[in-house]
Amino acid sequence: MSSNILVSVAWPYANSLIHVGNITGSYLPADIFARFHRLRGNKVLMVSGSDSHGTPVTVRADADGTSPLEVYTQFHKGFLELFQKLGLTYDLFTSTHTENHFKVSQSIFLALEKNGYLYTDRQQQWYSPSQKRFLPDRYIEGTCYICGYTSARGDQCDQCGNLLDATELIDPRSKIDGSTPELKETEHYYLDYGKLQLDIVEFLRQREDYWRPNVVRQSLGQILADELHERAITRDLDWGIPVPIEGWKDKRLYVWFEAVIGYLSASIEWSKINDQPEAWHDWWYNAAARSYYFIGKDNIPFHAVFWPGQLIGAGDWFSKIFEEREGSSLVLPFDVPANEFMNLESQKISGSRNWAVWGLDFLSRYDPDALRYYLTANMPESRDTDWDWGDFLNRNNNELVATWGNLANRVLSFADKHWDGKVPTPGDLRPADREIIDTVESGFQTVADHIDAVQLRSGLIETMRLAAEVNKYLNHSAPWFEIKSDKSAAGTTIFTALKAIDSLNVLFSPFLPFSSERLHAYLGYDSPLFGEQYFETIVDNLGEHEVLRYRPGKASGHWEPSQLSSGQALRGPKPLFRKLDDSIVESERSRLGVPEGFQE
Ligand SMILES: [Zn+2]
């Protein structure tokens, strides 16, 4: 029986480039999970997009003398290119700057209002008389009232690290023009999380047995230690989604509030552009559907507490407002498998110091499967991990190339040479042949259990262990000796090894889709394991936006043991992976921490 699986992936913020820590934190695990479930025959919907609003984008636009739209568009383009090159099979990777997302977010806002979870309140905020606008905290600089540091940011002091109340800064200045702002009263909408607390606690209690301990600690644990408070959901900004209330059109929805709504709006956009406008109901109004949120640990409260609160609070009013139909409640997250952080050469990754391995830059020198392999083998699922260039080299050469790539290559080459490029016809299988086939085929259960529980690292390690078993079998059977005295026995060995390799290839395929697709073709299959990614331009009343999509096409992969038959014509094998030279370790390390533009 097939299940409906929603794969919700963190929305990258459209004001910075993506590094390997981001990739292993959320984007790659989501893709492995989605590919696996597609192979199993489940109905998968994988969505995300660029988080395009908020002050970091406007601050950057002001600094660069450009517009927020240009900043967001430029970073969005880079995300599309990277995700396509990495093989991330988003059914839709869109953005929050779309007419559809505006409407869905405003409908959630109105549903919360209908259900009585919103209220307005007045507060003091810095206002720039010279620019005639309110200044968000990030636009203010002044002297820290805790430590006396003279260049403290409005929201946080970089010297003492304390979060600050911007209105209490001493000697405040506008970061835009240096002028002195004044305090002025403004009014905002608040979401009353106190009213939702019982429901959110109940939601978390139902999941604490199977959620990762860190996620439970940062959600249920936090609420029990310190109850939930109201949160402002509007801001005085001109970039973003207008508040859908008469007299409030000059204010915008707060980005933390609307960005998470993207999981829902992207599902709806995907349905629309597929001309099946209600298809999203199968994931969002279907209590049996399972939704997974792949995020980094810095995002846990937003996905495990605030977003479920928004969904609970909207209740069935969302469908009445958005599509004028009696609906049911929206499906709450089934799991939020947040990852910890990846460090780099034992230091925290830092974009501003260029202490990072950037996704697109990496792919200009190495293959995507080498990256996917290392990031999965080293995935920070239960604790922080470290990207170490020496470790990357060793794992690439000793595991990916030596244990898996060479295994496939030497068996295919041997069949090519001695059986005229065809799968040999076996004699009766001997106990050792049957045993290795059983061993590898047991992986369809054990590896599946790991991936289904979002233990991707264990799933990959188990698959590599099975590949090592096939190497042992081959070394023990030694077909290169067998063939000198008994070609039929050697044929049985090669048949068995090819069958095992074919099964292993399916087990590896969610992790290593590029090399798996090639090996699948070398094994003589005509249709691919997976479908294809493609770009599309969507036009709406806000303009146009480019999206990355996935279609199954001729995909024929199934999560099941090899059905390889004797006589099948193989295709000339080529090595699956590149062995890397030891010298890359020093050359890559020398790039770290060097400001951009100063590299050779
Ligand atoms: Zn300070």
Side-chain angles (χ1 to χ4, degrees):
M1 199 184 71
S2 86
S3 314
N4 288 26
I5 311 274
L6 180 71
V7 180
S8 302
V9 198
W11 291 58
Y13 212 85
N15 78 327
S16 52
L17 300 174
I18 289 174
H19 56 65
V20 293
N22 308 132
I23 295 170
T24 195
S26 54
Y27 314 133
L28 177 59
D31 182 65
I32 294 167
F33 193 75
R35 286 178 183 269
F36 162 74
H37 278 290
R38 290 194 191 104
L39 290 172
R40 281 203 124 179
N42 289 325
K43 273 181 78 177
V44 172
L45 179 58
M46 173 167 161
V47 292
S48 184
S50 293
D51 183 354
S52 49
H53 300 137
T55 48
V57 173
T58 60
V59 168
R60 179 143 197 159
D62 285 335
D64 296 352
T66 171
S67 69
L69 182 66
E70 279 175 68
V71 170
Y72 135 67
T73 307
Q74 177 203 332
F75 282 99
H76 180 65
K77 280 208 169 96
F79 299 160
L80 293 171
E81 184 189 350
L82 172 62
F83 292 162
Q84 193 254 341
K85 285 184 171 161
L86 259 181
L88 304 187
T89 49
Y90 291 99
D91 289 283
L92 182 67
F93 183 87
T94 177
S95 115
T96 55
H97 200 66
T98 71
E99 192 184 358
N100 171 71
H101 178 70
F102 278 38
K103 188 175 172 216
V104 175
S105 301
Q106 290 169 334
S107 300
I108 291 281
F109 177 98
L110 294 171
L112 286 162
E113 220 232 340
K114 279 278 185 197
N115 281 328
Y117 290 109
L118 302 187
Y119 66 90
T120 61
D121 199 5
R122 294 177 173 279
Q123 64 176 68
Q124 298 279 325
Q125 200 176 327
W126 292 113
Y127 180 83
S128 164
S130 59
Q131 292 216 307
K132 297 196 175 39
R133 70 168 181 180
F134 282 100
L135 297 173
D137 294 349
R138 291 217 183 195
Y139 278 78
I140 298 285
E141 199 175 64
T143 301
C144 173
Y145 53 85
I146 296 171
C147 75
Y149 179 57
T150 54
S151 298
R153 293 191 341 236
D155 53 347
Q156 191 172 17
C157 173
D158 282 337
Q159 181 156 291
C160 67
N162 284 296
L163 296 178
L164 302 178
D165 177 349
T167 60
E168 291 185 35
L169 274 187
I170 302 160
D171 189 21
R173 307 176 289 282
S174 160
K175 278 172 84 169
I176 303 167
D177 59 7
S179 66
T180 305
E182 55 193 38
L183 283 175
K184 196 170 161 181
E185 195 174 71
T186 180
E187 192 173 20
H188 283 293
Y189 267 95
Y190 290 80
L191 173 48
D192 191 351
Y193 273 106
K195 265 191 183 175
L196 285 161
Q197 175 158 331
L198 279 178
D199 288 324
I200 294 173
V201 167
E202 170 67 16
F203 153 81
L204 292 168
R205 287 252 188 249
Q206 289 165 1
R207 289 156 175 78
E208 64 177 322
D209 290 345
Y210 64 90
W211 277 18
R212 292 183 180 172
N214 186 24
V215 181
V216 173
R217 199 160 48 239
Q218 286 200 53
S219 51
L220 186 60
Q222 283 288 333
I223 300 175
L224 298 180
D226 177 22
E227 60 192 32
L228 286 172
H229 302 285
E230 75 286 351
R231 291 178 66 86
I233 61 171
T234 60
R235 311 199 77 180
D236 292 290
L237 259 191
D238 50 14
W239 172 244
I241 304 176
V243 178
I245 300 282
E246 219 34 65
W248 284 75
K249 299 278 158 75
D250 58 335
K251 306 197 190 233
R252 298 290 176 266
L253 297 181
Y254 217 131
V255 71
W256 75 262
F257 175 82
E258 51 105 337
V260 283
I261 297 172
Y263 302 112
L264 173 62
S265 69
S267 307
I268 294 172
E269 184 181 2
W270 169 83
S271 306
K272 275 188 198 163
I273 59 184
N274 275 355
D275 287 328
Q276 299 170 303
E278 299 199 337
W280 59 278
H281 293 180
D282 294 349
W283 287 272
W284 286 94
Y285 290 146
N286 171 6
R290 284 186 283 157
S291 58
Y292 292 79
Y293 291 75
F294 289 86
I295 58 162
K297 67 176 165 187
D298 49 333
N299 259 320
I300 291 173
F302 293 99
H303 292 79
V305 178
F306 301 141
W307 172 232
Q310 286 164 260
L311 290 167
I312 295 167
D316 56 6
W317 265 106
F318 174 74
S319 55
K320 290 180 200 162
I321 291 167
F322 181 73
E323 43 183 354
E324 292 167 7
R325 75 190 274 280
E326 287 296 320
S328 36
S329 302
L330 295 160
V331 168
L332 300 177
F334 176 79
D335 198 1
V336 183
N339 274 348
E340 311 281 312
F341 290 149
M342 174 174 269
N343 296 315
L344 172 57
E345 300 276 337
S346 305
Q347 293 182 40
K348 230 178 122 115
I349 292 178
S350 159
S352 56
R353 290 196 299 120
N354 200 28
W355 194 266
V357 177
W358 304 105
L360 277 174
D361 181 56
F362 178 95
L363 292 178
S364 69
R365 295 188 293 286
Y366 306 96
D367 298 326
D369 276 356
L371 182 62
R372 293 177 65 116
Y373 181 75
Y374 185 59
L375 290 182
T376 309
N378 211 3
M379 197 166 267
E381 291 178 329
S382 55
R383 57 176 177 78
D384 289 354
T385 59
D386 191 45
W387 175 295
D388 178 283
W389 278 105
D391 188 38
F392 167 75
L393 176 85
N394 288 335
R395 283 182 177 275
N396 182 79
N397 289 356
N398 302 339
E399 297 171 14
L400 198 55
V401 175
T403 303
W404 174 225
N406 287 354
L407 168 67
N409 196 48
R410 66 180 171 146
V411 172
L412 280 164
S413 304
F414 200 71
D416 191 47
K417 186 168 166 196
H418 296 286
W419 283 275
D420 195 25
K422 293 199 172 67
V423 178
T425 303
D428 287 341
L429 296 192
R430 299 151 297 187
D433 307 323
R434 276 196 292 271
E435 193 183 320
I436 190 62
I437 286 177
D438 287 347
T439 300
V440 170
E441 292 185 356
S442 72
F444 287 92
Q445 187 64 51
T446 54
V447 177
D449 288 345
H450 284 305
I451 300 181
D452 204 31
V454 205
Q455 295 158 355
L456 308 181
R457 183 178 175 156
S458 304
L460 180 62
I461 289 170
E462 170 67 2
T463 309
M464 197 51 95
R465 185 188 73 78
L466 297 173
E469 290 296 320
V470 179
N471 276 303
K472 273 190 224 161
Y473 159 82
L474 206 57
N475 291 342
H476 192 258
S477 307
W480 42 91
F481 291 129
E482 280 180 313
I483 198 156
K484 291 175 184 162
S485 55
D486 183 350
K487 186 168 180 183
S488 159
T492 303
T493 302
I494 292 299
F495 173 83
T496 303
L498 283 169
K499 222 168 147 60
I501 287 166
D502 191 19
S503 286
L504 278 173
N505 193 42
V506 174
L507 298 177
F508 270 120
S509 67
F511 305 102
L512 309 170
F514 294 95
S515 51
S516 291
E517 210 67 272
R518 277 186 285 132
L519 178 52
H520 190 64
Y522 299 161
L523 286 165
Y525 295 103
D526 292 324
S527 49
L529 287 167
F530 296 106
E532 57 205 15
Q533 302 166 281
Y534 62 105
F535 297 113
E536 195 173 318
T537 302
I538 310 289
V539 180
D540 65 20
N541 285 326
L542 281 180
E544 55 177 47
H545 59 282
E546 203 176 352
V547 299
L548 177 61
R549 303 189 61 193
Y550 173 80
R551 64 182 154 222
K554 296 194 175 87
S556 65
H558 291 289
W559 189 260
E560 57 189 36
S562 166
Q563 304 294 322
L564 196 69
S565 42
S566 54
Q568 179 155 312
L570 304 166
R571 294 187 177 94
K574 287 189 211 117
L576 290 180
F577 308 104
R578 283 195 293 156
K579 189 166 189 268
L580 298 170
D581 192 86
D582 290 1
S583 66
I584 66 145
V585 177
E586 274 324 298
S587 71
E588 291 293 346
R589 280 181 181 151
S590 70
R591 289 169 179 266
L592 298 176
V594 180
E596 276 177 278
F598 288 87
Q599 289 172 0
E600 297 275 308

